[in-house]
Amino acid sequence: MAIKLRNEYGPVLHMPTSKENFKEKCPQNASDSYGHKQYPANQGQEVEYLVTGTHPYPPGPGVALTADTKIQRMPSESAAQSLAVALPSSQTRVDANRNAPAGGEYRHPAAADRSQPAGMTSAVMEAGNAKNSALMAKKAPTMPKPQWHPPWKLYRVISGHLGWVRCIAVEPGNQWFVTGSADRTIKIWDLASGKLKLSLTGHISTVRGVIVSTRSPYLFSCGEDKQVKCWDLEYNKVIRHYHGHLSAVYGLDLHPTIDVLVTCSRDSTARIWDVRTKASVHTLSGHTNAVATVRCQAAEPQIITGSHDTTIRLWDLVAGKTRVTLTNHKKSVRAVVLHPKHYTFASGSPDNIKQWKFPDGSFIQNLSGHNAIINTLTVNSDGVLVSGADNGTMHLWDWRTGYNFQRVHAAVQPGSLDSESGIFACAFDQSESRLLTAEADKTIKVYKEDDTATEETHPVSWKPEIIKRKRF
């Protein structure tokens, strides 16, 4: 039994067995009423005590336990005084805690405030003030004052089509423009005089999209007959057909730097075509409803589509796959426009016009107020965004601020029904001094800026309203 006691309990046999023994071994004033260790008043000599127990207590890893390493010396007088300065006495903390005002923050006596140098204190106060200011309620962002734009006025109405005018495009030389209609014809008009120059026939259903190439003397058209045609304007004949869509083709666009044509269709796909070989390079699948609009650009993402499934997709042209899908709209997206200078674009839907930032489609802001089915969007380099709607209304916006500076509702052509008031497409000419709209009353309307208008005659009725940027 003695051997077992020595082997198993030998290290703890020296420990005190009663409070009286413990008090005898411990120095006086070793702890206060809260159990905090207090250093004894200096008696002019160093006090030593042994740290022993069931496990050896060397001062660091790898240090052998010897007679010297067992001993831990108490601080000297100067060290004790410095500690006393840094650590207020327990009684002071207790009194401060007792005298604290009722309802104040509870502080445990052990959580004493350390006294700090003046520089440190000011730094802490500044950090606290910065934190408090960050937590303060910030003012809601307000719309900056919009740039003043002169109003646009109607100065010419061109008639000649026998059906709804569904699409319009201006040629790069700014000499003429082309329109496609529900009368199945494509007409070319002189831009300066508005006179008809040429009619092209070949489609057997409504022509829904036209575009003139900047790289070759070609005109491309698409329609509800599922056909995509390439016209040679030197001979005014169709020289290529692009077969593949399974339903009506609603829109098309040309890549600005390579010979690639992109079309979108009611068959829920967009197709990428090699202009020269007529080969279908990619079929862009992913939309779940008709794809209403498509746009191309040289920078990534090179293809943007808007669909009746309420989404916008940004595509990787090389891989033929979706990069980003934007689901913020709640209704069909029938129009998308790219800003000619900024790395941004806008999309139009009955719920809102939304602005986005490339390359990832970051949301910028809503342009609210055009409460109709928006069929078309166009923007010029001056920052004038035009939205045309199914009810014949046209709104003009300042691109940067989203301020709606003009609303237009032109009268329908005499002899037309009021219900035939609708804008299907619009475009600026190359000089951006004229705005052309393709309408349901079978006419093309031409607008220009009002030269007589000034900021005094047409002031901006702007108030710093709160921007609703977070409303999706």
Side-chain angles (χ1 to χ4, degrees), residues 31-52:
S31 64
D32 62 7
S33 58
Y34 290 95
H36 297 105
K37 185 172 71 175
Q38 295 294 308
Y39 297 118
N42 191 45
Q43 284 90 14
Q45 61 182 1
E46 293 184 351
V47 181
E48 296 181 352
Y49 66 94
L50 297 179
V51 180
T52 58

Side-chain angles (χ1 to χ4, degrees), residues 5 74 144 146 148 150 210 221 244 263 268 317 334 402 431 459:
L5 284 173
M74 293 299 294
W148 182 83
V210 289
S221 64
T263 57
S268 306
L317 174 63
R334 298 171 186 250
S431 69

